[in-house]
Amino acid sequence: MGALTLAPLAADLVAAHFGSQDGALAIGGIDCRELARIYGTPFYAYDGDAMQARYRALSDAVSPFARVYYSIKANPRPQIARLFVDCGAGLEIASAGEFAAARAAGCSSDAMLFAGPGKGARELETVLAAGLSELHVESFEEIALAGAIAARLGRSLAVAIRINPGEAAQGGAMRMGGKPAAFGFDEEILAGVVAAIAAQPALRLDGIHLFTGTQVLDAGVLLAQWRYGLDLAARLASLTGRPLARIDLGGGLGIPYHAGDPTLDLAAVAAGVPSLMARKNSDPLLRAAEVIIEPGRWLTGPAGAYVMAVRAVKVSRGQRFLVTDGGMHHHLAASGNLGQVIKRDFPIVAASRLGVPPTGPAQIVGPLCTPLDTLGRGTAMPDLAAGDLIAVLQSGAYGLTASPAGFLSHDPPAEILIQAGAHRAIGPDRD
Ligand SMILES: Cc1ncc(COP(=O)(O)O)c(C=O)c1O
């Protein structure tokens, strides 16, 4: 299948998550050229079976310690979220829009957790009136607001405190905790938060939530964060003197994007579970709590590809440019402009010529009138011509909905879900 002609990470990813057919990338067992013919380019294609297999593998690894929720922001298409709901997942949501997507995915309101640093009155009203069972509070204003709305609705609302943990819990590439942050309450002021919740008769403190950082690739770091979360939960429970119902240890499980990135070792994660169980069970106030993890990227990322067609091949002052019909407007992360400190390429393959050896480096650029619209920088590529397909791997998470799709007013890409060898469009705005 010509894997030897690909960069090592891309070759590994093709072998692990895709495969090839007649020299072309296969997604969910379907030749990407066929998908291009039917749906046009560019498109996102998601292998639904692979996503469900990842969910089951992760659930098995963390069982019986934790239950796996899906953080819907990674890929909020209801048909994607439904894959996980069908496997028994709850959903972590962060807006009224995600609440609607979660409902469309068949998730019941009592299997959703609502987190996010700046929830509005209208969205709180919407989700609480619809029966959301647990709110993760992140500011004193929000505690007051949620308390007032829950009282008006005559509800006793379970809340969990999202905590921004101290230095000791750091980890991951993009740190959202362990430093000054808008997310959650600093662990140092926990007692004040408990008092603020106690002052709201309609709120019932029942849990704790941590989200320390995304893109954690080291099982040891992840396990240390989870242990720290249990310690914090114990501290909270001893402050209130009551058992906790819920301990949400967050998401953040990473996937390799760049040469040299390791793959998170699930067996090592599983090996750490008994000791976490023992820690939890040793505390009578934690023993009955349900532990949750809520990854997004890890579940959907590797099972998606963004496929675009070459429109022109140009040489400018000695450099080869492959101008494609897809780009940063659909896939901001792959252009390196979604919060990366250093712009490095996602794994990219010549999808219609997988087995053909590279002939040299190419700049892979999109149709936008900006040099930011570059997805490949000096990427080793075979000779390609207009009509050939190029695929960006690791694209099932933080792809389209994390991109400035309106910038330059190009058409949105098709989104295709493949399950059991059958494919269907799930976007744009189709079912
Ligand atoms: C509260 C919360 N949970 C879960 C996630 C999912 O993170 P990841 O996709 O890295 O697992 C995020 C991402 O920003 C988040 O903010």
PDB file of all heavy atoms in Angstrom, residues 247-262:
ATOM      1  N   ILE A 247     -17.726  13.237  40.478  1.00  0.00           N
ATOM      2  CA  ILE A 247     -16.357  13.766  40.355  1.00  0.00           C
ATOM      3  C   ILE A 247     -16.018  13.744  38.873  1.00  0.00           C
ATOM      4  O   ILE A 247     -15.839  12.679  38.282  1.00  0.00           O
ATOM      5  CB  ILE A 247     -15.346  12.904  41.135  1.00  0.00           C
ATOM      6  CG1 ILE A 247     -15.735  12.827  42.613  1.00  0.00           C
ATOM      7  CG2 ILE A 247     -13.933  13.463  40.976  1.00  0.00           C
ATOM      8  CD1 ILE A 247     -14.913  11.815  43.418  1.00  0.00           C
ATOM      9  N   ASP A 248     -15.965  14.926  38.261  1.00  0.00           N
ATOM     10  CA  ASP A 248     -15.696  15.019  36.825  1.00  0.00           C
ATOM     11  C   ASP A 248     -14.230  15.411  36.647  1.00  0.00           C
ATOM     12  O   ASP A 248     -13.828  16.524  36.976  1.00  0.00           O
ATOM     13  CB  ASP A 248     -16.631  16.062  36.203  1.00  0.00           C
ATOM     14  CG  ASP A 248     -16.422  16.211  34.700  1.00  0.00           C
ATOM     15  OD1 ASP A 248     -15.431  15.676  34.171  1.00  0.00           O
ATOM     16  OD2 ASP A 248     -17.259  16.878  34.062  1.00  0.00           O
ATOM     17  N   LEU A 249     -13.462  14.470  36.125  1.00  0.00           N
ATOM     18  CA  LEU A 249     -12.011  14.694  36.020  1.00  0.00           C
ATOM     19  C   LEU A 249     -11.600  15.316  34.697  1.00  0.00           C
ATOM     20  O   LEU A 249     -10.418  15.476  34.411  1.00  0.00           O
ATOM     21  CB  LEU A 249     -11.273  13.369  36.248  1.00  0.00           C
ATOM     22  CG  LEU A 249     -11.489  12.770  37.643  1.00  0.00           C
ATOM     23  CD1 LEU A 249     -10.866  11.383  37.738  1.00  0.00           C
ATOM     24  CD2 LEU A 249     -10.923  13.677  38.730  1.00  0.00           C
ATOM     25  N   GLY A 250     -12.568  15.661  33.861  1.00  0.00           N
ATOM     26  CA  GLY A 250     -12.264  16.413  32.645  1.00  0.00           C
ATOM     27  C   GLY A 250     -11.884  15.539  31.467  1.00  0.00           C
ATOM     28  O   GLY A 250     -11.947  14.314  31.508  1.00  0.00           O
ATOM     29  N   GLY A 251     -11.509  16.239  30.382  1.00  0.00           N
ATOM     30  CA  GLY A 251     -11.084  15.538  29.164  1.00  0.00           C
ATOM     31  C   GLY A 251      -9.590  15.714  28.999  1.00  0.00           C
ATOM     32  O   GLY A 251      -8.838  15.523  29.954  1.00  0.00           O
ATOM     33  N   GLY A 252      -9.197  16.062  27.784  1.00  0.00           N
ATOM     34  CA  GLY A 252      -7.789  16.402  27.578  1.00  0.00           C
ATOM     35  C   GLY A 252      -6.917  15.282  27.070  1.00  0.00           C
ATOM     36  O   GLY A 252      -5.708  15.457  26.914  1.00  0.00           O
ATOM     37  N   LEU A 253      -7.493  14.111  26.827  1.00  0.00           N
ATOM     38  CA  LEU A 253      -6.663  13.007  26.305  1.00  0.00           C
ATOM     39  C   LEU A 253      -6.212  13.364  24.881  1.00  0.00           C
ATOM     40  O   LEU A 253      -7.029  13.725  24.037  1.00  0.00           O
ATOM     41  CB  LEU A 253      -7.468  11.700  26.282  1.00  0.00           C
ATOM     42  CG  LEU A 253      -7.701  11.026  27.637  1.00  0.00           C
ATOM     43  CD1 LEU A 253      -8.702  11.793  28.483  1.00  0.00           C
ATOM     44  CD2 LEU A 253      -8.212   9.608  27.442  1.00  0.00           C
ATOM     45  N   GLY A 254      -4.913  13.272  24.653  1.00  0.00           N
ATOM     46  CA  GLY A 254      -4.359  13.798  23.412  1.00  0.00           C
ATOM     47  C   GLY A 254      -4.183  12.755  22.323  1.00  0.00           C
ATOM     48  O   GLY A 254      -4.254  11.543  22.556  1.00  0.00           O
ATOM     49  N   ILE A 255      -3.963  13.261  21.108  1.00  0.00           N
ATOM     50  CA  ILE A 255      -3.651  12.396  19.964  1.00  0.00           C
ATOM     51  C   ILE A 255      -2.425  12.978  19.257  1.00  0.00           C
ATOM     52  O   ILE A 255      -2.180  14.189  19.338  1.00  0.00           O
ATOM     53  CB  ILE A 255      -4.844  12.288  18.975  1.00  0.00           C
ATOM     54  CG1 ILE A 255      -5.244  13.673  18.431  1.00  0.00           C
ATOM     55  CG2 ILE A 255      -6.036  11.628  19.650  1.00  0.00           C
ATOM     56  CD1 ILE A 255      -6.317  13.632  17.349  1.00  0.00           C
ATOM     57  N   PRO A 256      -1.645  12.137  18.577  1.00  0.00           N
ATOM     58  CA  PRO A 256      -0.438  12.669  17.924  1.00  0.00           C
ATOM     59  C   PRO A 256      -0.767  13.433  16.643  1.00  0.00           C
ATOM     60  O   PRO A 256      -1.520  12.937  15.808  1.00  0.00           O
ATOM     61  CB  PRO A 256       0.370  11.404  17.603  1.00  0.00           C
ATOM     62  CG  PRO A 256      -0.637  10.299  17.532  1.00  0.00           C
ATOM     63  CD  PRO A 256      -1.762  10.670  18.449  1.00  0.00           C
ATOM     64  N   TYR A 257      -0.242  14.625  16.527  1.00  0.00           N
ATOM     65  CA  TYR A 257      -0.417  15.419  15.309  1.00  0.00           C
ATOM     66  C   TYR A 257       0.890  15.601  14.544  1.00  0.00           C
ATOM     67  O   TYR A 257       0.887  15.859  13.356  1.00  0.00           O
ATOM     68  CB  TYR A 257      -0.937  16.822  15.646  1.00  0.00           C
ATOM     69  CG  TYR A 257      -2.380  16.886  16.096  1.00  0.00           C
ATOM     70  CD1 TYR A 257      -2.706  17.060  17.441  1.00  0.00           C
ATOM     71  CD2 TYR A 257      -3.419  16.792  15.178  1.00  0.00           C
ATOM     72  CE1 TYR A 257      -4.030  17.140  17.853  1.00  0.00           C
ATOM     73  CE2 TYR A 257      -4.747  16.866  15.579  1.00  0.00           C
ATOM     74  CZ  TYR A 257      -5.040  17.042  16.915  1.00  0.00           C
ATOM     75  OH  TYR A 257      -6.349  17.114  17.309  1.00  0.00           O
ATOM     76  N   HIS A 258       1.996  15.566  15.275  1.00  0.00           N
ATOM     77  CA  HIS A 258       3.262  15.972  14.675  1.00  0.00           C
ATOM     78  C   HIS A 258       4.311  14.882  14.879  1.00  0.00           C
ATOM     79  O   HIS A 258       4.220  14.108  15.834  1.00  0.00           O
ATOM     80  CB  HIS A 258       3.743  17.284  15.303  1.00  0.00           C
ATOM     81  CG  HIS A 258       2.676  18.331  15.349  1.00  0.00           C
ATOM     82  ND1 HIS A 258       2.130  18.875  14.211  1.00  0.00           N
ATOM     83  CD2 HIS A 258       2.033  18.923  16.386  1.00  0.00           C
ATOM     84  CE1 HIS A 258       1.207  19.756  14.549  1.00  0.00           C
ATOM     85  NE2 HIS A 258       1.117  19.799  15.862  1.00  0.00           N
ATOM     86  N   ALA A 259       5.296  14.882  13.983  1.00  0.00           N
ATOM     87  CA  ALA A 259       6.380  13.903  14.096  1.00  0.00           C
ATOM     88  C   ALA A 259       6.934  13.950  15.521  1.00  0.00           C
ATOM     89  O   ALA A 259       7.174  15.027  16.073  1.00  0.00           O
ATOM     90  CB  ALA A 259       7.473  14.236  13.094  1.00  0.00           C
ATOM     91  N   GLY A 260       7.089  12.808  16.114  1.00  0.00           N
ATOM     92  CA  GLY A 260       7.653  12.752  17.461  1.00  0.00           C
ATOM     93  C   GLY A 260       6.603  12.728  18.562  1.00  0.00           C
ATOM     94  O   GLY A 260       6.921  12.403  19.708  1.00  0.00           O
ATOM     95  N   ASP A 261       5.349  13.087  18.258  1.00  0.00           N
ATOM     96  CA  ASP A 261       4.297  13.004  19.281  1.00  0.00           C
ATOM     97  C   ASP A 261       4.045  11.537  19.603  1.00  0.00           C
ATOM     98  O   ASP A 261       3.814  10.729  18.688  1.00  0.00           O
ATOM     99  CB  ASP A 261       2.968  13.590  18.770  1.00  0.00           C
ATOM    100  CG  ASP A 261       2.948  15.105  18.740  1.00  0.00           C
ATOM    101  OD1 ASP A 261       3.912  15.723  19.231  1.00  0.00           O
ATOM    102  OD2 ASP A 261       1.969  15.663  18.208  1.00  0.00           O
ATOM    103  N   PRO A 262       4.025  11.173  20.881  1.00  0.00           N
ATOM    104  CA  PRO A 262       3.680   9.782  21.208  1.00  0.00           C
ATOM    105  C   PRO A 262       2.173   9.557  21.113  1.00  0.00           C
ATOM    106  O   PRO A 262       1.399  10.514  21.060  1.00  0.00           O
ATOM    107  CB  PRO A 262       4.148   9.638  22.656  1.00  0.00           C
ATOM    108  CG  PRO A 262       4.094  11.019  23.206  1.00  0.00           C
ATOM    109  CD  PRO A 262       4.333  11.971  22.057  1.00  0.00           C
TER     110      PRO A 262
END
